[in-house]
Amino acid sequence: MVAEIKDAPLAGLQWSGSGEACKGGERVLCLHGWLDNAASFSLLAERLTQGADGNTTVAIDLPGHGKSGWHSPGQGYPIWGYTHELKTVIDTMASPVDLVAHSLGGSLALCLAAAFPETVRSIALLDSPGPMVTPENQIASQLRDGVLSRDKLRPSRQFSSIADAVAARKKATPELSESALTILVERNLAKCESHFEWRTDPQLKLTSDLRLSETQVEHLMRAVKCPVLSIRAESGLLPLKFFEHRMGYLQNVDSLQLPGHHHFHLEEETAPAIADAILTFWKGL
């Protein structure tokens, strides 16, 4: 059974094998990718809940995404900036949690596990090699570009129908099937009087003022103590060699590659293999 999360730090969805939300007994926390939302785990969370002896699975809408609130103007969304909010969510759960994290969510999971290792039992990374970086000698130009991008901030895009919004998202992620696109788009749309518009904070599309350096990412990932399962999408966004390099920073990692594109956890054909791999990983903990 799936239910909306209410009276929580962030909006989201909750899957319970017992048919009733288990308050305070949640153990699995799913973190979605950039411009996605909690519904991106709809297929995967159902399988994980059914296969994990009744565990309750929670997928949140990250700040600025889905039905969660936005950050204040100018606050932005740096990778490390989500850590306090995620810690607040985990404090309401049965810590330590098992994190299942896609793309951007994987970077957030690594930040959380590095800073608060006592709160995380394991991480399953889905096509996520960790944070994007800026070379140290480009920090000034990165800051300049970030500040100037604020002058180009645009309001949320409007659509006359859900179908138009699905078509717009299709242009950004053409590999997604129609069913997967619909899952993502419907949760990410707000119904207004005469139109629909994206719920996502337009600030999410601004250039970052600052990013971590590769050295900082290395030290961050080396601080992660829990077991990590890294599942790379065979047709994902980044090359295998880059994944192998980044995974070499982790103390305790198992890596594998499965068929599918970057959003492989959202597709009927590829989600079952991912769920099986995660369940097998959990059994070995």
Side-chain angles (χ1 to χ4, degrees):
M1 177 180 178
V2 61
E4 285 282 346
I5 296 175
K6 299 179 180 179
D7 303 321
L10 295 171
L13 297 169
Q14 182 172 258
W15 289 261
S16 176
S18 64
E20 182 178 348
C22 180
K23 184 66 175 176
E26 305 90 345
R27 183 63 178 272
V28 179
L29 177 62
C30 301
L31 307 177
H32 62 76
W34 182 62
L35 300 184
D36 293 344
N37 55 65
S40 68
F41 287 100
S42 294
L43 297 181
L44 194 60
E46 185 174 341
R47 288 170 170 79
L48 293 179
T49 302
Q50 291 173 352
D53 299 325
N55 256 352
T56 298
T57 302
V58 172
I60 58 171
D61 294 322
L62 292 169
H65 296 77
K67 298 183 180 182
S68 288
W70 296 0
H71 281 172
S72 301
Q75 182 181 352
Y77 294 89
I79 290 294
W80 56 88
Y82 295 82
T83 305
H84 176 265
E85 288 151 310
L86 295 181
K87 174 66 165 54
T88 301
V89 171
I90 285 181
D91 286 343
T92 70
M93 300 176 67
S95 181
V97 300
D98 294 309
L99 297 176
V100 179
H102 172 241
S103 196
L104 165 71
S107 298
L108 310 187
L110 293 169
C111 287
L112 180 67
F116 297 94
E118 70 277 10
T119 68
V120 181
R121 187 177 78 130
S122 72
I123 304 173
L125 298 174
L126 307 182
D127 209 37
S128 179
M132 295 176 63
V133 301
T134 295
E136 293 176 355
N137 63 354
Q138 295 179 20
I139 186 172
S141 59
Q142 179 73 46
L143 179 57
R144 176 184 175 86
D145 291 345
V147 171
L148 291 178
S149 73
R150 298 178 192 179
D151 296 332
K152 302 176 183 178
L153 186 65
R154 298 179 180 178
S156 296
R157 187 173 174 184
Q158 298 180 358
F159 304 94
S160 59
S161 67
I162 294 176
D164 287 345
V166 170
R169 178 67 197 240
K170 180 71 173 178
K171 291 180 180 179
T173 48
E175 71 278 3
L176 279 169
S177 66
E178 198 75 13
S179 60
L181 284 165
T182 302
I183 288 172
L184 279 178
V185 168
E186 288 186 344
R187 185 170 182 83
N188 207 37
L189 281 180
K191 179 70 172 72
C192 303
E193 288 187 7
S194 59
H195 65 273
F196 296 89
E197 64 181 42
W198 293 132
R199 293 182 182 272
T200 44
D201 186 349
Q203 289 187 98
L204 286 163
K205 293 188 175 182
L206 295 179
T207 302
S208 300
D209 289 347
L210 294 173
R211 292 197 187 112
L212 299 175
S213 68
E214 187 66 26
T215 300
Q216 288 173 317
V217 170
E218 177 180 356
H219 286 295
L220 179 81
M221 294 178 69
R222 290 194 186 283
V224 174
K225 297 179 173 61
C226 67
V228 177
L229 172 66
S230 175
I231 307 176
R232 179 182 177 271
E234 194 171 68
S235 302
L237 299 180
L238 295 168
L240 177 59
K241 285 187 177 180
F242 182 70
F243 269 81
E244 291 174 340
H245 175 72
R246 281 289 183 85
M247 294 307 109
Y249 295 155
L250 294 169
Q251 297 183 33
N252 185 0
V253 60
D254 290 326
S255 299
L256 69 149
Q257 181 172 277
L258 291 176
H261 56 68
H262 184 56
H263 285 83
F264 58 166
H265 61 302
L266 250 173
E267 302 287 4
E268 289 279 1
E269 297 81 6
T270 48
I274 298 170
D276 289 345
I278 294 173
L279 290 169
T280 300
F281 170 59
W282 285 345
K283 289 177 182 177
L285 297 176

